[in-house]
Amino acid sequence: MDKEALKAAVCSAIDAAKADIEKLALCIESEPELGFKETKTAKKVEDYMRSLGLDPQTGLALTGVKSRVKGGKPGPSVAVLAELDAIGTPDSPKADPLTGAAHTCGHFLQTSVMLAACTGIIKSGVMKELAGDAVFFSVPAEEYVEITYRKSLREQGKLHYICGKGQLIYEGHFDDIDMTMMMHSQANMPQKAVAIGSSSNGFVGKTVQYIGKSAHAANAPHEGINALNAACLGLMGINALRETFREQDIIRVHPIITKGGDLVNNVPADVRMELYVRAATMEAIDNTHKRVDAALKAGGDAVGAQTIVETLPGMLPLHCCKEMNDLFVANVKEFSPETEIVDSGHFSASTDMGDVSHLMPAIHPFIGGTDGALHTKDFTVTDFDAAVITPAKAFARMIVDLLYDDAACAKKILADNKPLLTKEEYIAKCDSYFSK
C-alpha cells in the first residue's frame, strides 16, 4: 500500500470511531481529577486501550498509561501524548463539587485526540507497513498546582519531581521514545483552526513561609511580629522589580497567599505563599528568581520575621521542531483545506512538554473548535470535529509520514535536530533548583 492509501485508511478508521470517541470525551469531562489523583481517568484510558487489543503499562508516575504499537520493521518510536489532569475551576458548571476540579484546560480533548489517533493506527492495520513504533501515552499532572500536597508526595518518596512529564523522564518512561507530539485547545477559537506555536515560557515554582510571633492583635500588637506584613512587603518588593524586567524575557511573577494567619484577633505568625517565576529562557529564569528571593527576604527582614523560601523545579521553555510543525500543517491542509492556519509564535504560559522538547523533537499545536478563556467557567467545545477529529487525523497521518519508507522522514528529522539536553543534563539542571 502506498503512503497516501495508508493515510486515507487511518482517517477512515478515525471517522468510523467518532461516536465512541465523543462519548468517551464526555465521560472523561464528567469526572475531572487533579494531578497525580487521576485514577478514574487513567482507568478509562486503560480500558479503551485494552478494547483495541493493547496491553498498556499503568501506574507510571502514579497514574500514567502507556501503550506501544510495533511496526513491521524496527525503527524510531513516535509518541502521541495527552494529559490526564483537570484544573481548579470551582465556578464551572461542570466542576467536581468536592474538589472544584474541571476540564477547563481541555485535557479531556487531548485524551480524546490521542485515543482517536491510536484507534486510527490500530483499526487500519497500517503499522505492518511501517518501520518503527507508535506510542500512545496519557501522562499525569501537567497543571502545576497543589504544590504543598505534591511536596508531601515527594517527602514520602512517591515522586522526585512534582510535575508529570518531568517525573516520567526521571523514571525512564521517555527513554524508549524518539519524538513526540501533543495538541492543546486554544482559547477563544470556536472556528475550525490550527495555531502553530514555536516556543513558550518556562518557570520555577516557589513556596514561601514567613514566621513571626503571635500576640493579641488589639491589646499587645507591639509584642508580636506580623508575618502578614512581612508577606505584603515581600510582594511589594517583587512589584518594585517589575520595571527592571526586559521585554524580550517575557517575565511573569504571580504569587498567591495560601495562608494569611490563624485568627483575626491574633497577630499573624504563620503566613504562606506559592508563586511561579516564568520567563522565555532558562537564563532569564535563573537571573530573575534569585532577585525575587531577595525581595521576599527583605519583607521578612523589615519586620523581624523569619523568611523560608523553597525553590522547586517547574517546567522548561518549550522548543517546537519546525519540520514536525510543517508536517502537521501539510497534513491538515491535505485532508481539511478549509481549516484556518494561524502562526501563534511564542506563548507566555508554560507546559511540561517543554521538558520533553529539550530531549527530543516535539510539537505542541493549538487547536480550535473551543470558545472561552482557558481555566475559566466559559471554556466550552463548539465543534468536536475541529477540536478532536482534525488533530487526531493529523497525528495519525504524521505517524505514517514519519515511519514510511524505512522511517526516512523520522530519521532525517532526528539527524537534523540534536537534543538541547541529555537526560542526565536535564536531571542535573532540574535538581539544581531544589533548595538546599
Side-chain angles (χ1 to χ4, degrees), residues 137-343:
F137 201 170
S138 273
V139 303
E142 187 270 341
E143 303 289 355
Y144 198 95
V145 298
E146 297 190 307
I147 296 176
T148 300
Y149 165 71
R150 295 188 188 184
K151 282 174 57 181
S152 74
L153 294 178
R154 177 174 156 76
E155 290 161 3
Q156 296 167 43
K158 295 180 179 180
L159 296 175
H160 185 73
Y161 299 131
I162 64 172
C163 213
K165 295 185 192 66
Q167 180 65 21
L168 290 165
I169 291 169
Y170 182 81
E171 292 181 6
H173 299 301
F174 280 96
D175 290 356
D176 57 358
I177 295 172
D178 297 301
M179 50 207 323
T180 55
M181 41 193 163
M182 188 184 79
M183 55 74 66
H184 200 287
S185 298
Q186 176 71 309
N188 303 310
M189 189 181 277
Q191 73 272 28
K192 200 167 189 177
V194 169
I196 301 298
S198 58
S199 58
S200 80
N201 275 8
F203 72 87
V204 293
K206 292 181 183 289
T207 60
V208 186
Q209 182 180 19
Y210 289 103
I211 300 173
K213 180 183 176 184
S214 185
H216 195 292
N219 281 343
H222 58 285
E223 295 179 1
I225 297 174
N226 193 314
L228 185 59
N229 285 345
C232 291
L233 290 170
L235 294 177
M236 289 173 65
I238 293 172
N239 289 336
L241 291 176
R242 294 187 191 276
E243 68 180 23
T244 70
F245 296 163
R246 300 191 312 168
E247 299 293 337
Q248 63 265 38
D249 291 331
I250 317 177
I251 295 167
R252 305 285 190 271
V253 182
H254 43 99
I256 60 168
I257 295 177
T258 57
K259 180 179 180 181
D262 294 294
L263 296 170
V264 70
N265 207 29
N266 290 356
V267 171
D270 182 5
V271 172
R272 305 184 190 197
M273 300 193 300
E274 295 178 0
L275 60 90
Y276 296 173
V277 180
R278 299 189 200 250
T281 67
M282 294 309 299
E283 180 183 13
I285 293 170
D286 291 344
N287 290 338
T288 305
H289 88 88
K290 295 171 186 175
R291 297 167 65 205
V292 167
D293 287 354
L296 292 166
K297 186 175 184 300
D301 291 347
V303 300
Q306 181 183 359
T307 307
I308 301 171
V309 180
E310 182 174 0
T311 301
L312 299 161
M315 300 176 185
L316 274 59
L318 176 69
H319 294 273
C320 290
C321 171
K322 183 180 185 305
E323 295 90 338
M324 291 178 70
N325 266 344
D326 291 345
L327 194 60
F328 182 87
V329 170
N331 273 285
V332 172
K333 287 181 176 178
E334 285 174 9
F335 72 84
S336 182
E338 71 278 13
T339 297
E340 178 185 0
I341 308 296
V342 179
D343 180 1

Side-chain angles (χ1 to χ4, degrees), residues 122-135:
I122 293 287
K123 294 291 189 181
S124 65
V126 298
M127 287 304 296
K128 64 181 180 291
E129 306 284 341
L130 304 177
D133 298 346
V135 177

